[in-house]
Amino acid sequence: MRNVRKLLGRGGFYSLVGGFAFFGAFPFYWMMIATFKRDHDLFRPENNPFIFNEPPTLDHLRLLLFDTHYLQYLLNTFWIGMAVVLITLIAAVPAAYSLARWARGWGETLGIGIFLTYLVPPTILFIPLSRFASALGLQESLWSLILIYPTFTIPFCTWLLMGFFKSIPRDIEEQAMIDGLSRFGAMTRVVLPLGISGILTVVVFAFTLSMHEFIYALTFISVSVKKTISIGVPTELVRGDVFQWGPLMAGALLASIPVAVIYTFFLDRFISGFTMGAVK
Amino acid sequence: MIAPAILYVVAMIGVPFILALMYSLSDATTGEPNFRFVGLRNFGAALADPVFRLSLKNTFFFALVSQTLVIILSRVVATALMKEFHGKWLARFLIMLPWTAPIALGTIGWLWMLDSIFSPFDWVLRRLGLLGTPNALLGPMQNLYWLGQPALAMFSVVLVHVWRLLPLATVIQMAGLSSIPRDLLEAAEVDGASPLRRTFEITIPLTLPIISIAFLFGLVFTFTDVTVVYVLTRGGPIHSTQVLSTWTFFKGIEGGDLAQGAAISLFLFPVLAGVASLMLRMARKSEVV
């Protein structure tokens, strides 16, 4: 009797977890199926949509890679991401370090202030920023996005890094300063190497946040070859009422896989980073 | 050393914010972006517009419903993922997937799943006999037209938004759960408290600040996000899923009416400021930030 109940409990647990896993992953399975399905198979309402009713094909992938600007979108996204990461690190690392070490009073207030700016919505900012971009002659330029994306990566990453730096004991750099290093030297030669996991987390985050961004890119870029994948795929592959579903799904899937893999490696680090930030 | 960060934030957030305030009080358009002060006319015009009122209502419905669901579900998932079990790595990977894909691309996947003719949901429903026969429970049509009917379109938008925010909320909840001292739970278990009682009397009260932060954060995010609605429905059918953020875009950028757009975008600001200050209070309590 007891064993039966235990078995039922376990069955319930696994179906619960399985259900959520299915909910999370099904759209990606759906993208994969459409990526390799022949059009003839794809556009028949009576065909079983979950399997290949006809042998798979690489046609959609070929079309995506050679007949659209997809590779250009990937390249644009990559360059923007790299530049944003660089700017974010230059601003966020020193800010987070000094805020973490300036724990009471002003440091705390400033830290909260910087984090709060993360909450100012792009909806309010994109109209004035689009005027900015046109005044600076940056319309239709990747530079407009490179300039704007740090507005959300800097607050978020500063806050995240503060948690990491707080977890490094003060004594370590005090020791280094007694041994003759300056405050800056202690930061770069002693504290940063210890905080490297936090910095890597921030790199991944700044990069993916800028890869995910949608509304600014939609507002500022309308020339096809300048688009990022986030807006290139939904706006260029959907022409009026014509949806090229195969290539569309291929485009969505290809861009999702690498990030998913990187995230899996960083998830534990991120959870512990979050916990450190949250509970010190 | 904080100077670069602060300069950036002031120049790229502070200044545009003030500009947005100024635009909302002017009659600027894309063609003629000069300031001419017109008082509160734009706000009055927005309020008089039935589409605006509908999108205000939709915004609150969309945000409150989706975030309530996200908090409840993420709690369940986080509790499950804190346990050790076979295949945990795989389960966690699959559950976290929606968060890793760029949102617009994930939503494109859903767009195809909610297709008016080729939706796999409709296919399953037809196979089960719930759709497409004269006496079927869901009606005799071959398809439900997920994004073509107001109520179903709103349901779809909420569903996709929940799908996409669930992983982040789960991570936050896991962080909260792992911060509870283990001996406290063990002591309660030794004292004979049931799992349900432990949940309601220990874990939920202790993680309440983090839960509220996750909720408020999601709320702010949902109030201001355009991606899901823009990609799935563009606010349709007949504005039934129009929210303030998409309406700002259509009016202010596509329609070129900078002043109206700015005014619409600012309507939520008092709400957002309120939510942010609540978050701050919660954060102080739990010592986040």
Side-chain angles (χ1 to χ4, degrees):
Chain A
M1 204 51 212
R2 214 161 175 205
N3 278 339
V4 172
R5 190 181 273 172
K6 209 172 169 186
L7 214 64
L8 274 178
R10 187 172 290 178
F13 179 78
Y14 274 105
S15 43
L16 181 88
V17 173
F20 278 109
F22 179 80
F23 179 53
F26 183 71
F28 297 97
Y29 172 75
W30 191 239
M31 289 176 195
M32 193 199 73
I33 278 273
T35 300
F36 299 110
K37 235 180 189 189
R38 285 167 198 272
D39 269 342
H40 186 260
D41 184 4
L42 202 57
F43 297 117
R44 271 184 130 197
E46 56 281 8
N47 275 4
N48 182 338
F50 301 99
I51 55 168
F52 294 106
N53 300 286
E54 294 169 31
T57 170
L58 290 174
D59 283 352
H60 299 312
L61 266 183
R62 200 173 301 133
L63 192 128
L64 177 79
L65 296 179
F66 300 114
D67 295 348
T68 69
H69 295 301
Y70 188 73
L71 291 175
Q72 186 69 45
Y73 303 153
L74 279 180
L75 203 64
N76 293 344
T77 310
F78 180 76
W79 285 124
I80 293 174
M82 296 302 274
V84 170
V85 164
L86 198 68
I87 296 175
T88 306
L89 286 181
I90 291 171
V93 170
Y97 175 74
S98 37
L99 287 174
R101 286 299 181 253
W102 202 10
R104 293 275 154 244
W106 273 101
E108 205 165 323
T109 316
L110 265 177
I112 291 168
I114 287 186
F115 180 66
L116 277 186
T117 59
Y118 185 68
L119 300 177
V120 178
T123 339
I124 292 180
L125 302 178
F126 71 70
I127 289 179
L129 284 173
S130 76
R131 306 312 304 166
F132 258 35
S134 71
L136 291 171
L138 292 178
Q139 255 168 341
E140 302 298 347
S141 156
L142 298 183
W143 286 105
S144 63
L145 301 182
I146 292 173
L147 201 62
I148 286 165
Y149 287 179
T151 55
F152 52 82
T153 57
I154 290 176
F156 189 76
C157 294
T158 304
W159 173 76
L160 206 62
L161 276 173
M162 265 172 72
F164 276 101
F165 285 143
K166 271 184 192 163
S167 73
I168 299 170
R170 253 165 221 268
D171 310 354
I172 294 180
E173 78 236 53
E174 270 157 19
Q175 195 57 50
M177 279 154 76
I178 291 170
D179 292 348
L181 283 175
S182 63
R183 162 74 59 181
F184 186 75
M187 180 184 111
T188 50
R189 308 229 327 243
V190 181
V191 180
L192 289 191
L194 287 170
I196 195 75
S197 70
I199 291 171
L200 280 176
T201 312
V202 159
V203 167
V204 170
F205 262 80
F207 191 88
T208 48
L209 280 177
S210 64
M211 182 178 179
H212 286 199
E213 205 285 324
F214 184 74
I215 184 69
Y216 289 126
L218 187 67
T219 309
F220 298 137
I221 311 281
S222 58
V223 176
S224 180
V225 290
K226 298 272 179 66
K227 286 184 175 175
T228 62
I229 43 161
S230 271
I231 56 160
V233 174
T235 59
E236 291 292 314
L237 293 171
V238 181
R239 291 236 176 250
D241 282 342
V242 184
F243 286 74
Q244 300 174 306
W245 284 115
L248 258 173
M249 292 299 106
L253 188 70
L254 273 192
S256 309
I257 297 169
V259 198
V261 172
I262 297 175
Y263 259 107
T264 326
F265 286 117
F266 275 87
L267 190 62
D268 278 322
R269 234 170 226 176
F270 177 59
I271 293 177
S272 71
F274 226 110
T275 321
M276 270 184 233
V279 251
K280 289 202 188 134
Chain B
M1 282 200 277
I2 320 178
I6 289 182
L7 275 178
Y8 216 107
V9 161
V10 169
M12 302 299 290
I13 297 178
V15 176
F17 182 69
I18 292 165
L19 265 175
L21 284 174
M22 285 168 68
Y23 275 126
S24 71
L25 300 173
S26 78
D27 62 355
T29 59
T30 329
E32 212 182 320
N34 305 317
F35 286 111
R36 209 167 22 168
F37 182 77
V38 297
L40 294 173
R41 208 178 68 191
N42 290 309
F43 292 93
L47 276 174
D49 180 0
V51 177
F52 170 81
R53 289 203 300 263
L54 183 62
S55 37
L56 193 63
K57 209 179 83 192
N58 287 342
T59 305
F60 277 93
F61 180 84
F62 177 52
L64 288 173
V65 171
S66 64
Q67 284 324 297
T68 308
L69 285 171
V70 163
I71 289 302
I72 296 171
L73 294 177
S74 66
R75 182 75 199 189
V76 175
V77 182
T79 313
L81 287 183
M82 294 298 283
K83 293 196 168 81
E84 288 304 324
F85 58 91
H86 289 295
K88 178 176 170 173
W89 184 88
L90 182 68
R92 206 177 65 168
F93 174 73
L94 296 177
I95 288 171
M96 291 298 157
L97 266 182
W99 190 31
T100 63
I103 306 119
L105 302 183
T107 311
I108 280 280
W110 279 94
L111 190 61
W112 176 221
M113 281 163 58
L114 298 166
D115 187 81
S116 55
I117 297 171
F118 302 103
S119 167
F121 304 124
D122 291 350
W123 188 85
V124 170
L125 292 173
R126 278 198 301 270
R127 278 297 160 108
L128 293 173
L130 295 172
L131 185 73
T133 53
N135 298 320
L137 187 67
L138 295 170
M141 311 93 69
Q142 288 294 306
N143 291 95
L144 280 178
Y145 304 105
W146 293 92
L147 301 175
Q149 299 188 50
L152 278 181
M154 184 49 104
F155 172 83
S156 308
V157 171
V158 169
L159 177 74
V160 176
H161 201 70
V162 168
W163 172 78
R164 155 275 174 111
L165 281 183
L166 191 58
L168 179 62
T170 303
V171 170
I172 298 177
Q173 297 250 24
M174 280 168 79
L177 286 175
S178 63
S179 72
I180 297 175
R182 213 155 254 278
D183 34 345
L184 202 65
L185 287 173
E186 273 159 16
E189 204 173 342
V190 170
D191 289 348
S194 68
L196 205 65
R197 227 180 124 193
R198 272 175 297 177
T199 303
F200 281 97
E201 289 181 16
I202 299 178
T203 48
I204 290 189
L206 278 180
T207 52
L208 199 59
I210 285 187
I211 296 178
S212 2
I213 288 170
F215 181 75
L216 295 170
F217 194 82
L219 217 52
V220 172
F221 193 77
T222 312
F223 274 140
T224 62
D225 181 59
V226 296
T227 318
V228 170
V229 172
Y230 184 91
V231 173
L232 278 189
T233 64
R234 302 191 116 234
I238 27 171
H239 298 300
S240 57
T241 56
Q242 197 71 267
V243 286
L244 287 186
S245 51
T246 49
W247 193 228
T248 306
F249 181 81
F250 291 130
K251 269 264 177 188
I253 298 293
E254 293 205 328
D257 195 340
L258 295 178
Q260 271 285 311
I264 294 168
S265 74
L266 282 168
F267 256 96
L268 271 185
F269 190 70
V271 181
L272 291 172
V275 172
S277 83
L278 257 179
M279 252 178 95
L280 212 58
R281 205 169 295 168
M282 285 295 164
R284 279 255 165 77
K285 226 183 247 173
S286 66
E287 304 205 306
V288 183
V289 183

